[in-house]
Amino acid sequence: MYHAPKLVISIIGMAFVFGLLGIVGLWMPIANHGRTVDTQLQADHALRSTQALQMAVSQSVEREWDSINAVAGAINPTDRQDVQSFADAVVKASRRVAWAGYVDRGGIVRVGSQRANEGDDVGSARWFREGLKGGYIDNVSTSVAARRGEDPQNGERVIKMVTPVVGRAGDVMGVFVYALRVDWLTDYVRRTANQLGLDAYILDRSGNVLLGGAMPDESLSLMTYLSLNTPSVRGVESRDGLQDIYAIVPRLVDAAQMPPVDLQLVTRVPAQLNVQLTRGMPFSLWLSLGCFLAIMVSAVAIFANHFIRPIQRLADIADDIAEGREVYPEEFHSSRESVTLSQALARIQNRMR
């Protein structure tokens, strides 16, 4: 009999065990909800950061578009020396432009910065034909060598901006061309993305990666979302089991006042950053649940001390009466059962006398 646990200890222990089981049961949905909320916050952060990167790039490229239109409106296409001075000044003023030049309606390059490519026939090029109809921005291509006689393989990757040159009579005389350096664009995107805590990838419509190296194998399936032409965010589990967040923007440059640039932007929030962002969440949850358990056990202990301890004391008095000891039953009023038991013990003791 004396090896059985006390009632107070049993009740407190039972409250602790069931409270612990309840915490474990609550922890799983709370943790899952916390991870879901955290992932959503990271996805929103990734998309906003990517859109901020897109806006910065758009503003930078749009300045070059405004520049070429200002030059095309200022030159006199019949004055070769005037056009030459503008073309040379553009390249000297901006390291973003690899080459600038004027092409007449027949498709012949009449003026090139530093006299490069003059006399070339570009009449069959799509960028020239589209440029005569209005503003146009070409796909990424390899420029011809900067000077005559050089190996064409020495050319660099460029994006041609083309805008029509209108004469005084209002007729189109030709087009003015900027060859923007792709290396400048990718370097600008890389530096801006690093400041935002992102890994950036630039792709063309064919899926060729211009910035960021080879896309991870786990993220190749994301490329199907580029065809939706809407910004989206996707989570991809990396090889080490962590969650990478990818934000997909169908247009690297989004400016209403200029033709579209046929490049896409994909950014990644590294999984290591995800771990850092979520590391403090489980501890805070465990701390809250631990406080809840402590409060619950304390409340049960107070309850047991008020209601159960009088019954335990009356049990000891009953044992003393059974052993023939002279005791006086105490009266307890913590509960109806304790009142009834103390009165019954008093009557039993009187009868025994």
Side-chain angles (χ1 to χ4, degrees):
M1 179 183 67
Y2 293 104
H3 293 290
K6 290 186 177 182
L7 185 59
V8 173
I9 296 177
S10 299
I11 292 177
I12 294 177
M14 183 184 65
F16 179 81
V17 171
F18 279 96
L20 192 60
L21 291 175
I23 286 176
V24 173
L26 288 172
W27 165 253
M28 295 182 63
I30 290 175
N32 289 335
H33 178 70
R35 283 191 290 268
T36 300
V37 171
D38 186 72
T39 301
Q40 184 60 48
L41 290 175
Q42 292 181 53
D44 293 342
H45 167 73
L47 184 57
R48 287 196 300 269
S49 298
T50 304
Q51 289 173 333
L53 173 61
Q54 179 193 43
M55 181 180 296
V57 175
S58 298
Q59 291 175 346
S60 185
V61 175
E62 193 172 17
R63 282 195 291 269
E64 298 304 320
W65 179 250
D66 292 340
S67 172
I68 190 175
N69 280 281
V71 171
I75 64 173
N76 180 4
T78 61
D79 186 343
R80 188 187 184 285
Q81 191 63 35
D82 178 65
V83 178
Q84 185 71 60
S85 63
F86 271 99
D88 292 341
V90 166
V91 176
K92 291 179 181 178
S94 175
R95 58 173 293 272
R96 305 175 181 184
V97 181
W99 180 83
Y102 169 68
V103 184
D104 65 15
R105 283 188 60 86
I108 304 300
V109 179
R110 295 301 179 186
V111 176
S113 55
Q114 307 301 320
R115 305 187 66 84
N117 312 125
E118 291 182 355
D120 290 354
D121 186 354
V122 295
S124 60
R126 179 181 177 183
W127 57 263
F128 169 71
R129 299 193 306 271
E130 295 292 336
L132 289 176
K133 301 175 185 177
Y136 181 73
I137 297 179
D138 197 20
N139 297 326
V140 176
S141 61
T142 302
S143 68
V144 295
R147 298 184 183 278
R148 293 183 181 280
E150 292 185 355
D151 186 347
Q153 296 300 320
N154 292 337
E156 60 182 324
R157 295 181 304 173
V158 296
I159 298 175
K160 295 183 179 68
M161 284 185 168
V162 188
T163 190
V165 177
V166 180
R168 294 181 180 178
D171 53 335
V172 177
M173 304 290 292
V175 297
F176 203 82
V177 186
Y178 275 12
L180 289 182
R181 288 188 169 94
V182 172
D183 289 344
W184 159 77
L185 182 61
T186 55
D187 182 63
Y188 181 81
V189 172
R190 181 187 299 109
R191 288 186 288 106
T192 307
N194 288 339
Q195 293 175 354
L196 294 171
L198 303 172
D199 294 335
Y201 301 87
I202 298 178
L203 300 90
D204 60 20
R205 287 291 177 183
S206 300
N208 300 316
V209 181
L210 304 180
L211 169 66
M215 294 287 288
D217 295 338
E218 298 86 352
S219 64
L220 293 178
S221 60
L222 296 172
M223 297 306 99
T224 57
Y225 293 102
L226 288 173
S227 61
L228 300 178
N229 289 323
T230 57
S232 58
V233 181
R234 294 292 182 273
V236 175
E237 186 172 330
S238 59
R239 294 176 179 176
D240 52 9
L242 299 176
Q243 187 84 353
D244 289 335
I245 304 296
Y246 284 85
I248 305 168
V249 178
R251 291 183 179 179
L252 173 63
V253 179
D254 187 12
Q257 304 303 318
M258 60 180 292
V261 179
D262 202 20
L263 296 175
Q264 292 81 45
L265 174 64
V266 177
T267 63
R268 179 175 71 97
V269 177
Q272 292 79 5
L273 180 59
N274 296 347
V275 174
Q276 294 175 3
L277 292 176
T278 59
R279 188 171 293 167
M281 182 185 67
F283 175 76
S284 62
L285 284 177
W286 278 118
L287 181 62
S288 299
L289 294 175
C291 291
F292 168 76
L293 178 61
I295 292 173
M296 186 182 68
V297 172
S298 299
V300 171
I302 294 173
F303 171 86
N305 183 68
H306 182 72
F307 292 100
I308 306 301
R309 195 169 296 278
I311 296 177
Q312 182 181 2
R313 176 59 184 153
L314 290 170
D316 293 337
I317 293 174
D319 184 66
D320 289 339
I321 293 174
E323 294 295 330
R325 300 187 187 97
E326 188 67 27
V327 294
Y328 181 79
E330 302 177 32
E331 292 187 7
F332 296 96
H333 303 281
S334 59
S335 65
R336 180 177 297 178
E337 287 76 9
S338 62
V339 172
T340 302
L341 186 56
S342 60
Q343 291 176 353
L345 289 176
R347 291 196 300 272
I348 290 172
Q349 190 179 42
N350 287 334
R351 290 180 181 180
M352 290 179 64
R353 290 176 182 174

